[in-house]
Amino acid sequence: MRTILVVDDETPILESLDMFLGEKGYRVITAATGADGEMKFRQHHPEVVMLDIRLPDKNGLDILKEILAAPNPPKVIMMTAFQDMETTIEAMKSGAYEYLNKPLDAGEIERTVDRAFRMSCLNGHSEIPEDVPPPTGVIIGKSPQMCEIFKTIGMLCRNQATVLIQGETGTGKELVARTIHQNSFFSDEPMITMDCSAIVETLLESELFGHSRGAFTGAVETKPGKIELAGRGTLFLDEVSELPIGLQSKFLGFLERKEYMRVGGHRIHKSRCRIISATNQDMAELVRRGRFREDLYYRLKVVSIFVPPLRDRIGDIPDLARHFLQKAARDHCTEARQFEDGVIDLLCAQPWIGNVRQLQNVIMAASLQSRGRRVLLEYIERELAAGPGRVLSGAIDFSLESSEQVHILKTLKHTQWHRSRAAELLGISLPTLRSKIQKYGLQPPKPYTMPMNDI
Ligand SMILES: Nc1ncnc2c1ncn2[C@@H]1O[C@H](COP(=O)(O)OP(=O)(O)OP(=O)(O)O)[C@@H](O)[C@H]1O
Ligand SMILES: [Mg+2]
């Protein structure tokens, strides 16, 4: 009979899981402490274990590691009411099969347990590296969407799969990429970033693949490309949607074979780096419009992560705000340690078109103005009024900056947000346009939503 061990110190949870899973035809063994759980695990050899993280006598993560070290380990479903990034990543990294947040949902339990039993028949537990260092960059967030992202990051530490991170500007795509890298087998190797929109097209190819001496005028010596510099680490292609179409096919060839030649070179080089790319554009739409190769798009998004806009996870705002306040104190020696009443409510009510980056800027600027230990509501209001998305109340803004902003937006709309074309029409370089887009917090009109791929 299919046996499941449930370890949790809350009697109502134990009793209801016992009844619920019993009715579904499982043999349920329960334990209210870590020690009891370990003993019953050795006695009954369950195929699936549901394990609480916080137990009175032991840490669930330690029990997880012990259980998984046993021969023929079970599938372990972690449960917790205190979800945070480190524990979720740590649990997934240690080999947990799933991670459920309390309060538990009956439908989710049923599906997860059923899947876990099916999986336990299919394969054994995969080896987990012991020497992976703990994550250093911290992604703040407890929303269900962020928890899913933490789980995916945890799973990605076991492989070198190619990842595409999508989301609006300032949502934390680069931070997610860095965290994936830091949690990978090869975190000691470099993560090399290439901003596909910031480099002149002709240089891009040699930036990526490198060039040999004499390959073109000015190539006085052989230079390794970013792929080579990444070694076994990570190549992070930022703004990947801007990759010129000519280079897209060359890059596809590289992804297919993981081989490349330097510009002007004759020798084939092998690469073993992981490719993570990021974009704030709707890639599927670019593919539909023939601006981005469909085959390359699918190659890039073997694993796809969508980082939602901040307005869709307002529950994360209080923690983020406090985090940035502490960061300001650390980085700029500001005195403020708390927010005046009403600040958090005000922050939660904003549209945040510049997302987490804008929130960070507002908190930083407001805490720099604060003289005492509290950030006052009025400082926040002032910063919000000055930031992206400002509504000019009454008076017409005659400033040159305001006209520039309107004109750039108009041009971007005209080119349907094709930035290279807009830069051409405006008579400025692409990097200059990018910095102006950033400065004014300009955004494509429709936010898009994209489901996360199952990996
Ligand atoms: N969840 C988070 N927790 C803590 N800091 C965050 C979080 N999300 C974003 N940040 C911070 O916000 C800033 C913007 O994040 P990041 O550069 O990763 O965004 P992005 O999505 O790559 O933006 P862009 O599309 O403009 O390149 C960074 O300083 C980052 O550290
Ligand atoms: Mg970025």
Side-chain angles (χ1 to χ4, degrees), residues 155-175:
M155 288 188 253
L156 282 167
C157 78
R158 300 180 214 168
N159 57 50
Q160 281 283 83
T162 305
V163 187
L164 175 64
I165 307 171
Q166 301 185 81
E168 290 180 10
T169 182
T171 43
K173 299 183 293 296
E174 180 160 357
L175 188 59

Side-chain angles (χ1 to χ4, degrees), residues 198-245:
I199 305 168
V200 187
E201 181 169 344
T202 45
L203 272 183
L204 212 56
E205 187 176 352
S206 88
E207 280 287 320
L208 254 183
F209 301 114
H211 63 246
S212 55
R213 197 168 147 220
F216 46 82
T217 334
V220 282
E221 52 189 40
T222 299
K223 198 175 154 224
K226 301 230 172 194
I227 293 175
E228 199 168 334
L229 293 175
R232 298 191 74 174
T234 303
L235 175 66
F236 177 52
L237 295 178
D238 207 0
E239 308 283 349
V240 71
S241 58
E242 303 296 308
L243 205 62
I245 203 96

Side-chain angles (χ1 to χ4, degrees), residues 5-301:
L5 168 66
V6 185
V7 189
D8 198 309
D9 59 331
E10 286 176 69
T11 318
I13 292 197
L14 274 190
E15 284 175 356
S16 44
L17 282 175
D18 189 8
M19 206 164 76
F20 179 71
L21 294 167
E23 274 172 12
K24 304 277 169 224
Y26 300 106
R27 173 175 164 242
V28 188
I29 315 283
T30 58
T33 64
D36 191 27
E38 284 175 332
M39 195 182 70
K40 288 186 169 148
F41 170 71
R42 284 191 294 273
Q43 279 173 354
H44 299 279
H45 308 289
E47 295 102 311
V48 173
V49 176
M50 290 184 80
L51 180 59
D52 189 20
I53 297 240
R54 290 201 188 176
L55 290 161
D57 56 335
K58 284 199 151 198
N59 181 338
L61 288 178
D62 294 335
I63 303 178
L64 168 73
K65 285 171 198 160
E66 273 174 48
I67 286 182
L68 292 182
N72 275 334
K75 295 280 170 231
V76 182
I77 301 165
M78 305 301 289
M79 303 180 282
T80 184
F82 309 91
Q83 60 271 48
D84 61 74
M85 177 187 105
E86 270 101 353
T87 335
T88 315
I89 292 183
E90 186 61 31
M92 298 311 285
K93 216 159 122 177
S94 304
Y97 170 68
E98 247 308 350
Y99 198 99
L100 295 180
N101 293 320
K102 291 178 182 173
L104 300 168
D105 170 82
E108 199 178 4
I109 297 172
E110 190 180 351
R111 283 190 300 275
T112 311
V113 169
D114 175 59
R115 243 190 297 133
F117 271 101
R118 278 188 283 134
M119 289 298 291
S120 75
C121 304
L122 290 176
N123 52 19
H125 158 68
S126 57
E127 278 300 311
I128 304 305
E130 299 228 311
D131 53 352
V132 179
T136 50
V138 176
I139 308 178
I140 306 293
K142 291 193 175 111
S143 54
Q145 301 102 308
M146 292 313 288
C147 290
E148 277 304 315
I149 291 179
F150 300 154
K151 277 203 278 188
T152 308
I153 295 175
M155 288 188 253
L156 282 167
C157 78
R158 300 180 214 168
N159 57 50
Q160 281 283 83
T162 305
V163 187
L164 175 64
I165 307 171
Q166 301 185 81
E168 290 180 10
T169 182
T171 43
K173 299 183 293 296
E174 180 160 357
L175 188 59
V176 168
R178 211 157 274 289
T179 313
I180 294 172
H181 175 74
Q182 279 160 357
N183 282 280
S184 70
F185 283 120
F186 302 107
S187 55
D188 288 345
E189 299 265 327
M191 167 160 147
I192 302 285
T193 298
M194 173 148 144
D195 186 340
C196 301
S197 73
I199 305 168
V200 187
E201 181 169 344
T202 45
L203 272 183
L204 212 56
E205 187 176 352
S206 88
E207 280 287 320
L208 254 183
F209 301 114
H211 63 246
S212 55
R213 197 168 147 220
F216 46 82
T217 334
V220 282
E221 52 189 40
T222 299
K223 198 175 154 224
K226 301 230 172 194
I227 293 175
E228 199 168 334
L229 293 175
R232 298 191 74 174
T234 303
L235 175 66
F236 177 52
L237 295 178
D238 207 0
E239 308 283 349
V240 71
S241 58
E242 303 296 308
L243 205 62
I245 203 96
L247 202 54
Q248 287 179 22
S249 50
K250 288 189 183 145
F251 196 68
L252 177 68
F254 162 70
L255 276 185
E256 275 166 353
R257 293 182 295 277
K258 276 293 178 97
E259 286 176 356
Y260 66 96
M261 273 201 276
R262 290 181 183 145
V263 175
H266 304 289
R267 204 158 73 77
I268 291 176
H269 296 261
K270 271 240 159 255
S271 162
R272 303 177 76 177
C273 67
R274 184 208 294 266
I275 310 292
I276 303 182
S277 36
T279 179
N280 52 25
Q281 299 293 304
D282 183 345
M283 291 285 278
E285 179 59 23
L286 293 183
V287 168
R288 268 193 295 279
R289 284 201 255 126
R291 296 259 186 71
F292 203 90
R293 287 184 68 121
E294 189 173 14
D295 40 11
L296 178 57
Y297 172 54
Y298 285 108
R299 276 270 166 189
L300 290 175
K301 68 177 212 108

